[in-house]
Amino acid sequence: MSTDKKLTKTLKKGDLFIIVTVIAITLVWFLAPFSGREDNLKLVIYLDGEAVETAQLSTLTEGKSFYVGGCEIYADSEGVKFVSSVCSDSLCVKRGTMTRAGDTMACVPERVVVSLKGGSSTHIETY
Amino acid sequence: MKKGKLSAKTKKLIIKIIAVVLVALIGTAAALVVKDRKTDFNSAQKYSVAMNTVITQKIYADVPGVHIEPVRAIINSLDGYISCKDSESVLSRLNSEGTLNDILIAEALKTCLEVSEKSGGAFDVSMGKLSESWAIGTENARVPSDEEISELLSQCGYEKITLDGSKITVAEGVSVDLGAVGKGIACDYIMTYLKSKTDIKGAVVSVGGSILTYGQHNKAGDEWNVGIRHPRNENEYLGIIHMTEGFVSTSGDYERYFEQDGVRYHHILDGNTGRPSDSGLISVTVVCDSGILSDALSTACLVLGAEKAEALLNEYGAAGVFVDKDMNITVVGDIDFEY
C-alpha cells in the first residue's frame, strides 16, 4: 500500500472520529442543564423565610418526618406532605402530597413553607 | 513523487481535516454562544409568608439577594395598610370612620369601582361584612340564613363608596374589603420597585398566586412559563402560559371553601346574591398589564360566567383562561397558553 493510500485511510477514520466526538461532547454538554430530571428533587423547608431543613428526596427511601414550627412534614422518595399542624384550619394537611419540581405548599399560620426544587418546566404557578 | 513533497491528494486530505476541525470549532463556538444566551442569569429565590399567604420571589441580578428583603418589606407594609382584618390598618380607619383622605387606597378603589360598574356589581369590594359573616377559609365558616344575607346585602353596594380625588367616603354600615385585590396591589408596587433598580435583569414574584413577571431570565429573552394549577387536582398543571412582562391572577372555587350537606361553598361571593358565585366557571386566570386589574378581573369573570366574562376581558384588552364545571377550557384574547 502506498504512503498516500495509508494516509487516506487514516484520515478518513480521523475525520469521522473528530466529527462524532465533537458533536457528542457538544450535545451532552449543551443539553445537560435542560434535562431537569425529576428524580433529583430537593426538599427545602422554610420557617419565617429561612431555610431550616433540606434533603434530597431520592435519599429518603425509608421516609423521614421533619418537625418545623407547629408542623409535622413527612417526606419520602415519592413526595412530601404535611401530616399535622397545630394551626386551626389544617389547610396544609388537606393539600395532600406534593411531587413536582417547583411545587410549594405552606402552613400560613405557622409560617412554614415547603418547596420542591429541581428541573421544572415552569418558573412559577398561579392558583 | 519527490521525497518531502506531498501529493495533490494528500494536500486535499489535509485541507479536508482543517475544514472538519474548523466546522467543529465553529459549531462549538456557536453552541457556546447559544448556551450562554439560554443560561439563566444569577438569581436568588425566597419563600416566605405574608398577607396571610405564601410569597415566592425569584430575582435575577448580579447581586440578587439584596432585593429580597425590600420586596418582602413592600408586601408587609402594604398588608398593614390595606388589611381589613387589622384594626390598626388605614383601611380599617376608613371602615370605622366612614371617611378617609388617602391616595393609595383612593387609587385602588378607583380601579375597583370601575370594574364593579363594568361587571354590573359582580365584583364588589363593599362586601366586607358579608364576607365576615360567611367566614370562609376560617374555622368559623358557616352558611348564613337567607334573612341574614338579605340584611347584609342591604349594607353592601359599590355605589355606596364615593371618591373625590384622594378623599374617600363610604355610606354608614358599609365595610370595604380589598382582600380580592390586595395581592395584585402588592404586585404593582413590587413591579415599580423592580423597574427602579437598574441592576435587576428580571424577576418573577408570586403573592399567593397573583403573579408578576418582569424583564428577562436569560440573554435570549426566553418567555416566562407560568403554570396554572389544575382546579381539581392540585398536583397537576392545567397548562402553562408563556409570557413576557405582565401580571397573572387566578380565581377559583378551590382556593378556600368548605362543604356542608354535600355542597361546596367557596370564598368568592357574587355581589348581586351575597352567595358564593355559581356561574358555571370554576377557575379563571387573567393576564394583563396591571396587578390590581388582573385580580379584580379574575374575580369578576368567575362571578359573571363565560359569556359576560369574555366581553369584560375584551373591554379591558386583557386575556384569560376559563375552566367550567365540565372542565371545558376557553382561551380568551392574545395569550400563548399550552395545554
Side-chain angles (χ1 to χ4, degrees), chain B residues 269-315:
Chain B
L269 303 179
D270 183 335
N272 294 309
T273 65
R275 296 175 174 279
S277 73
D278 188 20
S279 67
L281 294 180
I282 61 171
S283 171
V284 171
T285 298
V286 170
V287 181
C288 67
D289 57 4
S290 151
I292 184 172
L293 203 52
S294 64
D295 268 7
L297 288 176
S298 64
T299 303
C301 289
L302 192 87
V303 174
L304 282 173
E307 198 176 323
K308 289 178 181 173
E310 185 169 348
L312 184 65
L313 289 192
N314 287 337
E315 201 172 343

Side-chain angles (χ1 to χ4, degrees), chain A:
Chain A
M1 193 184 281
S2 72
T3 312
D4 272 0
K5 274 188 179 171
K6 280 182 187 171
L7 192 56
T8 306
K9 198 172 178 184
T10 309
L11 289 173
K12 276 183 179 169
K13 281 181 185 171
D15 286 350
L16 194 66
F17 179 75
I18 291 171
I19 293 169
V20 170
T21 307
V22 169
I23 290 174
I25 291 173
T26 306
L27 275 178
V28 168
W29 169 78
F30 183 72
L31 294 174
F34 305 106
S35 60
R37 287 161 58 98
E38 290 283 317
D39 57 355
N40 285 333
L41 290 174
K42 184 184 176 189
L43 164 70
V44 186
I45 303 174
Y46 299 83
L47 176 63
D48 275 333
E50 300 301 324
V52 292
E53 296 277 5
T54 60
Q56 211 69 37
L57 272 200
S58 57
T59 65
L60 303 176
T61 46
E62 292 184 8
K64 184 179 177 183
S65 287
F66 299 88
Y67 298 89
V68 178
C71 307
E72 180 186 353
I73 297 142
Y74 177 81
D76 60 23
S77 53
E78 299 298 311
V80 56
K81 63 182 176 183
F82 279 91
V83 175
S84 66
S85 171
V86 297
C87 68
S88 55
D89 54 22
S90 291
L91 286 174
C92 51
V93 178
K94 292 173 191 164
R95 172 77 165 81
T97 303
M98 190 167 78
T99 58
R100 290 174 313 179
D103 271 353
T104 58
M105 57 183 178
C107 178
V108 173
E110 292 298 303
R111 311 180 76 78
V112 174
V113 180
V114 178
S115 161
L116 278 183
K117 296 185 174 183
S120 172
S121 59
T122 62
H123 293 99
I124 207 143
E125 183 186 40
T126 178
Y127 51 89

Side-chain angles (χ1 to χ4, degrees), chain B residues 119-282:
Chain B
S119 67
F123 172 75
D124 194 335
V125 290
S126 72
M127 296 193 291
K129 286 186 178 170
L130 202 53
S131 298
E132 208 175 301
S133 177
W134 281 91
I136 297 171
T138 75
E139 57 185 335
N140 302 317
R142 70 191 184 99
V143 181
S145 66
D146 290 347
E147 293 74 25
E148 192 178 349
I149 289 173
S150 180
E151 168 64 23
L152 288 169
L153 262 180
S154 70
Q155 296 175 39
C156 300
Y158 66 92
E159 65 283 350
K160 292 175 180 170
I161 303 169
T162 52
L163 295 175
D164 180 10
S166 61
K167 190 181 176 192
I168 311 152
T169 309
V170 296
E172 196 177 344
V174 171
S175 177
V176 176
D177 182 352
L178 291 176
V181 292
K183 299 172 185 74
I185 295 171
C187 285
D188 285 330
Y189 277 86
I190 294 166
M191 183 70 100
T192 303
Y193 170 82
L194 296 172
K195 285 183 172 176
S196 73
K197 303 295 174 188
T198 52
D199 63 313
I200 296 178
K201 294 171 176 139
V204 57
V205 180
S206 164
V207 183
S210 293
I211 285 166
L212 73 82
T213 56
Y214 166 70
Q216 296 179 191
H217 56 90
N218 61 19
K219 280 184 192 167
D222 286 340
E223 291 175 319
W224 299 97
N225 298 328
V226 178
I228 300 180
R229 185 182 291 177
H230 194 290
R232 292 293 179 259
N233 186 347
E234 291 172 331
N235 287 315
E236 270 186 28
Y237 288 132
L238 180 76
I240 296 172
I241 298 170
H242 305 287
M243 61 184 287
T244 53
E245 204 165 285
F247 297 85
V248 186
S249 182
T250 296
S251 294
D253 70 351
Y254 52 91
E255 293 172 73
R256 277 182 281 153
Y257 66 91
F258 70 100
E259 286 181 1
Q260 186 173 301
D261 301 326
V263 180
R264 176 188 287 225
Y265 296 94
H266 64 88
H267 75 295
I268 297 175
L269 303 179
D270 183 335
N272 294 309
T273 65
R275 296 175 174 279
S277 73
D278 188 20
S279 67
L281 294 180
I282 61 171

